[in-house]
Short mmCIF file of all heavy atoms in Angstrom, two decimals:
data_model
loop_
_atom_site.label_atom_id
_atom_site.label_comp_id
_atom_site.label_asym_id
_atom_site.label_seq_id
_atom_site.Cartn_x
_atom_site.Cartn_y
_atom_site.Cartn_z
N ALA A 280 -1.02 -8.31 21.31
CA ALA A 280 0.27 -8.40 20.63
C ALA A 280 0.93 -9.74 20.88
O ALA A 280 0.81 -10.37 21.97
CB ALA A 280 1.21 -7.30 21.22
N HIS A 281 1.63 -10.22 19.82
CA HIS A 281 2.32 -11.50 19.92
C HIS A 281 3.76 -11.20 19.40
O HIS A 281 3.96 -11.03 18.19
CB HIS A 281 1.71 -12.52 19.03
CG HIS A 281 0.26 -12.85 19.38
ND1 HIS A 281 -0.17 -13.74 20.32
CD2 HIS A 281 -0.90 -12.23 18.94
CE1 HIS A 281 -1.52 -13.71 20.44
NE2 HIS A 281 -1.96 -12.84 19.52
N TYR A 282 4.65 -11.14 20.32
CA TYR A 282 6.09 -10.87 19.94
C TYR A 282 6.74 -12.24 19.72
O TYR A 282 7.32 -12.78 20.67
CB TYR A 282 6.75 -10.03 21.10
CG TYR A 282 8.24 -9.88 20.93
CD1 TYR A 282 8.79 -9.49 19.74
CD2 TYR A 282 9.10 -10.00 22.05
CE1 TYR A 282 10.18 -9.30 19.62
CE2 TYR A 282 10.47 -9.81 21.93
CZ TYR A 282 10.98 -9.45 20.71
OH TYR A 282 12.39 -9.29 20.60
N CYS A 283 6.68 -12.73 18.56
CA CYS A 283 7.21 -14.03 18.22
C CYS A 283 7.22 -14.30 16.74
O CYS A 283 6.70 -13.45 15.98
CB CYS A 283 6.34 -15.11 18.91
SG CYS A 283 4.65 -15.23 18.25
N ASN A 284 7.86 -15.33 16.33
CA ASN A 284 7.86 -15.79 14.94
C ASN A 284 6.49 -16.43 14.68
O ASN A 284 6.03 -17.34 15.40
CB ASN A 284 8.95 -16.77 14.71
CG ASN A 284 9.16 -17.16 13.27
OD1 ASN A 284 8.26 -17.17 12.48
ND2 ASN A 284 10.38 -17.45 12.89
N MET A 285 5.81 -15.98 13.62
CA MET A 285 4.55 -16.54 13.38
C MET A 285 4.51 -18.02 13.18
O MET A 285 3.47 -18.72 13.37
CB MET A 285 3.83 -15.78 12.21
CG MET A 285 4.47 -16.02 10.87
SD MET A 285 3.68 -15.06 9.61
CE MET A 285 4.45 -15.68 8.13
N LYS A 286 5.60 -18.58 12.72
CA LYS A 286 5.68 -20.01 12.50
C LYS A 286 5.73 -20.81 13.85
O LYS A 286 5.55 -22.06 13.77
CB LYS A 286 6.97 -20.34 11.67
CG LYS A 286 7.00 -19.67 10.30
CD LYS A 286 8.25 -19.93 9.56
CE LYS A 286 8.30 -19.12 8.21
NZ LYS A 286 9.60 -19.38 7.51
N GLU A 287 5.94 -20.12 14.92
CA GLU A 287 5.98 -20.80 16.21
C GLU A 287 4.58 -21.12 16.74
O GLU A 287 4.46 -21.94 17.61
CB GLU A 287 6.81 -19.99 17.23
CG GLU A 287 8.26 -19.83 16.85
CD GLU A 287 8.96 -18.86 17.80
OE1 GLU A 287 8.23 -18.33 18.71
OE2 GLU A 287 10.16 -18.67 17.64
N LEU A 288 3.60 -20.44 16.23
CA LEU A 288 2.28 -20.55 16.75
C LEU A 288 1.56 -21.74 16.08
O LEU A 288 1.76 -22.03 14.91
CB LEU A 288 1.44 -19.28 16.47
CG LEU A 288 1.99 -18.00 17.23
CD1 LEU A 288 1.31 -16.76 16.71
CD2 LEU A 288 1.74 -18.16 18.69
N PRO A 289 0.66 -22.46 16.80
CA PRO A 289 0.02 -23.61 16.24
C PRO A 289 -0.98 -23.25 15.17
O PRO A 289 -1.47 -22.09 15.13
CB PRO A 289 -0.68 -24.26 17.41
CG PRO A 289 -0.92 -23.15 18.40
CD PRO A 289 0.27 -22.20 18.22
N VAL A 290 -1.30 -24.19 14.29
CA VAL A 290 -2.24 -23.95 13.17
C VAL A 290 -3.60 -23.56 13.81
O VAL A 290 -4.36 -22.70 13.25
CB VAL A 290 -2.41 -25.22 12.32
CG1 VAL A 290 -3.51 -25.04 11.33
CG2 VAL A 290 -1.06 -25.42 11.58
N THR A 291 -3.99 -24.15 14.93
CA THR A 291 -5.26 -23.83 15.58
C THR A 291 -5.40 -22.33 15.91
O THR A 291 -6.49 -21.81 15.95
CB THR A 291 -5.50 -24.69 16.78
OG1 THR A 291 -4.32 -24.54 17.70
CG2 THR A 291 -5.60 -26.12 16.49
N PHE A 292 -4.27 -21.66 16.13
CA PHE A 292 -4.31 -20.21 16.46
C PHE A 292 -4.89 -19.50 15.25
O PHE A 292 -5.74 -18.59 15.44
CB PHE A 292 -2.89 -19.75 16.73
CG PHE A 292 -2.75 -18.27 16.90
CD1 PHE A 292 -3.12 -17.58 18.06
CD2 PHE A 292 -2.30 -17.48 15.79
CE1 PHE A 292 -3.04 -16.22 18.18
CE2 PHE A 292 -2.21 -16.13 15.97
CZ PHE A 292 -2.56 -15.49 17.10
N TYR A 293 -4.44 -19.80 14.05
CA TYR A 293 -4.87 -19.05 12.84
C TYR A 293 -6.29 -19.45 12.50
O TYR A 293 -7.01 -18.65 11.87
CB TYR A 293 -4.00 -19.37 11.70
CG TYR A 293 -2.56 -18.85 11.99
CD1 TYR A 293 -1.56 -19.76 12.42
CD2 TYR A 293 -2.22 -17.54 11.83
CE1 TYR A 293 -0.32 -19.30 12.69
CE2 TYR A 293 -0.95 -17.11 12.05
CZ TYR A 293 0.02 -17.94 12.49
OH TYR A 293 1.33 -17.49 12.77
N GLN A 294 -6.78 -20.62 12.94
CA GLN A 294 -8.18 -20.99 12.63
C GLN A 294 -9.15 -20.19 13.47
O GLN A 294 -10.37 -20.22 13.18
CB GLN A 294 -8.33 -22.46 12.95
CG GLN A 294 -7.62 -23.38 11.95
CD GLN A 294 -7.76 -24.84 12.38
OE1 GLN A 294 -7.14 -25.37 13.31
NE2 GLN A 294 -8.52 -25.58 11.58
N GLY A 295 -8.72 -19.46 14.46
CA GLY A 295 -9.62 -18.70 15.36
C GLY A 295 -9.99 -17.36 14.83
O GLY A 295 -10.71 -16.64 15.47
N PHE A 296 -9.43 -16.94 13.62
CA PHE A 296 -9.72 -15.63 13.08
C PHE A 296 -10.67 -15.73 11.93
O PHE A 296 -10.73 -16.74 11.16
CB PHE A 296 -8.40 -14.95 12.71
CG PHE A 296 -7.45 -14.71 13.83
CD1 PHE A 296 -6.53 -15.57 14.20
CD2 PHE A 296 -7.68 -13.53 14.68
CE1 PHE A 296 -5.71 -15.35 15.24
CE2 PHE A 296 -6.88 -13.34 15.77
CZ PHE A 296 -5.90 -14.22 16.04
N LYS A 297 -11.42 -14.66 11.63
CA LYS A 297 -12.28 -14.57 10.53
C LYS A 297 -11.62 -13.95 9.31
O LYS A 297 -12.06 -14.16 8.18
CB LYS A 297 -13.58 -13.72 10.87
CG LYS A 297 -14.34 -14.32 12.17
CD LYS A 297 -14.68 -15.74 11.99
CE LYS A 297 -15.41 -16.27 13.21
NZ LYS A 297 -15.61 -17.68 13.11
N VAL A 298 -10.63 -13.13 9.55
CA VAL A 298 -9.92 -12.49 8.44
C VAL A 298 -8.45 -12.35 8.94
O VAL A 298 -8.15 -12.05 10.05
CB VAL A 298 -10.48 -11.10 8.03
CG1 VAL A 298 -9.70 -10.53 6.89
CG2 VAL A 298 -11.94 -11.16 7.78
N ILE A 299 -7.50 -12.55 8.00
CA ILE A 299 -6.08 -12.34 8.17
C ILE A 299 -5.59 -11.30 7.23
O ILE A 299 -5.89 -11.42 6.02
CB ILE A 299 -5.28 -13.61 8.15
CG1 ILE A 299 -5.64 -14.63 9.19
CG2 ILE A 299 -3.77 -13.33 8.20
CD1 ILE A 299 -5.00 -15.97 9.08
N ILE A 300 -4.90 -10.25 7.69
CA ILE A 300 -4.29 -9.26 6.76
C ILE A 300 -2.78 -9.40 6.89
O ILE A 300 -2.21 -9.28 8.04
CB ILE A 300 -4.75 -7.82 7.10
CG1 ILE A 300 -6.24 -7.69 7.04
CG2 ILE A 300 -4.04 -6.87 6.08
CD1 ILE A 300 -6.71 -6.34 7.29
N ALA A 301 -2.11 -9.67 5.82
CA ALA A 301 -0.63 -9.83 5.86
C ALA A 301 0.02 -8.55 5.37
O ALA A 301 -0.11 -8.17 4.22
CB ALA A 301 -0.23 -11.02 4.97
N GLY A 302 0.74 -7.93 6.26
CA GLY A 302 1.55 -6.75 5.89
C GLY A 302 3.03 -7.10 6.05
O GLY A 302 3.81 -6.49 6.83
N LEU A 303 3.50 -8.16 5.34
CA LEU A 303 4.80 -8.77 5.52
C LEU A 303 5.83 -8.25 4.51
O LEU A 303 5.43 -7.80 3.47
CB LEU A 303 4.68 -10.33 5.40
CG LEU A 303 3.71 -10.98 6.42
CD1 LEU A 303 3.43 -12.37 5.94
CD2 LEU A 303 4.42 -10.99 7.84
N ASP A 304 7.06 -8.32 4.91
CA ASP A 304 8.11 -7.83 4.00
C ASP A 304 8.97 -9.02 3.42
O ASP A 304 10.05 -8.84 2.91
CB ASP A 304 9.10 -6.90 4.76
CG ASP A 304 9.76 -7.56 5.93
OD1 ASP A 304 9.56 -8.79 6.16
OD2 ASP A 304 10.52 -6.84 6.65
N SER A 305 8.43 -10.24 3.53
CA SER A 305 9.14 -11.41 3.08
C SER A 305 8.31 -12.27 2.25
O SER A 305 7.13 -12.64 2.62
CB SER A 305 9.72 -12.15 4.29
OG SER A 305 10.05 -13.56 3.95
N ILE A 306 8.74 -12.71 1.07
CA ILE A 306 7.95 -13.61 0.25
C ILE A 306 7.90 -15.01 0.92
O ILE A 306 6.80 -15.68 0.91
CB ILE A 306 8.62 -13.85 -1.11
CG1 ILE A 306 8.44 -12.47 -1.93
CG2 ILE A 306 8.00 -14.97 -1.90
CD1 ILE A 306 9.09 -12.50 -3.33
#
Side-chain angles (χ1 to χ4, degrees):
H281 304 270
Y282 172 45
C283 64
N284 188 327
M285 66 182 188
K286 299 177 185 179
E287 297 173 357
L288 297 170
V290 171
T291 52
F292 172 81
Y293 297 98
Q294 291 176 289
F296 296 94
K297 304 304 179 187
V298 183
I299 295 174
I300 303 183
L303 300 165
D304 60 4
S305 162
I306 291 178

